[in-house]
Amino acid sequence: IAPFALGKYAVTFEEYDRFCAATKRGKPIDAGWGRGQRPVIDVDWNDAVAYAEWLSRQTGKRYRLPTEAEWEYAARAGTTTAYWWGKDIGRNRANCEGCGSQWDNQKTSPVGSFDPNPWKLYDTAGNVWEWTCSAYDQNYGGAEQTCANNNLTSPRSLRGGSWINPPAWVRSAGRFGGTPTARNYGQGFRLARSL
C-alpha cells in the first residue's frame, strides 16, 4: 500500500450538510436521530464521491474514498485479530447488534464515542458501513487494491459493519458489496488522501 492518510472519523452530518448547502443538494435523512456529530447516513457511493470531489476543490488537496485494501490496513492498525482490540467483541467497544453499547441495534452513535484503534482512527468497527472506492470482488482478485471507474455500475465494497449488524460483520475483515446507488441508514463513508 502506498502512503495515504485516512480520516480520523467517518464524515459527519455537520460536514456533509455544509456540502449540501454549498452545492444546493438535498440533505440526506437522519432517521430522526440527530445530525451534528453523527456519521452521515442515507448517502450512496455517488454522493460520497461527489463530496470528496467538492472538498478537493475547496481545499486544493485531492480527497477520495479509500481503496478496500487501504481501509482494512488502517482499521487493523497493525493487528491480526478479528477486531483491533482482540479476538472477541467484548462490551461497549463498538456500536453493533450485541456490542454492549447504549446505541446497539437502535441507531448510530456520535463519531468518536468509543476508543480509537492504535492509529487513532475511530469507529472502524460498527456504527456505519463505509463506502470504499473499490469494486466488490468476493474472491479478492485485485480490485480491492484500486479505485473503480466512476462510470461503472458494478457493486462497490463497503467495510466496517453497522449499528444493526451482529459482531461477525463488524470484524476488520467484514465486507459486502452494494450498488453505487444504494442508500440506507447503515451506510456512510470516510475520506482518504494520497500522500
Side-chain angles (χ1 to χ4, degrees), residues 50-119:
Y51 177 84
E53 291 171 350
W54 172 80
L55 188 62
S56 296
R57 288 191 302 274
Q58 299 303 304
T59 63
K61 296 178 180 176
R62 189 177 179 288
Y63 289 95
R64 59 178 173 78
L65 294 176
T67 67
E68 188 178 4
E70 288 171 336
W71 192 97
E72 185 170 338
Y73 176 78
R76 287 189 178 282
T79 66
T80 58
T81 51
Y83 311 96
W84 64 259
W85 58 82
K87 64 181 180 123
D88 297 317
I89 194 66
R91 301 231 5 110
N92 206 30
R93 294 276 208 166
N95 179 9
C96 77
E97 179 187 5
C99 283
S101 83
Q102 62 183 313
W103 302 283
D104 283 9
N105 206 26
Q106 296 177 47
K107 58 186 170 183
T108 61
S109 53
V111 298
S113 293
F114 304 95
D115 290 338
N117 74 13
W119 293 350

Side-chain angles (χ1 to χ4, degrees), residues 11 13 34 36 45 64 84-85 92 100 102-103 122 129 133 146 172 179 188:
V11 172
F13 269 108
W45 186 85
R64 59 178 173 78
W84 64 259
W85 58 82
N92 206 30
Q102 62 183 313
W103 302 283
Y122 290 82
W129 284 102
C133 68
T146 62
S172 297
T179 61

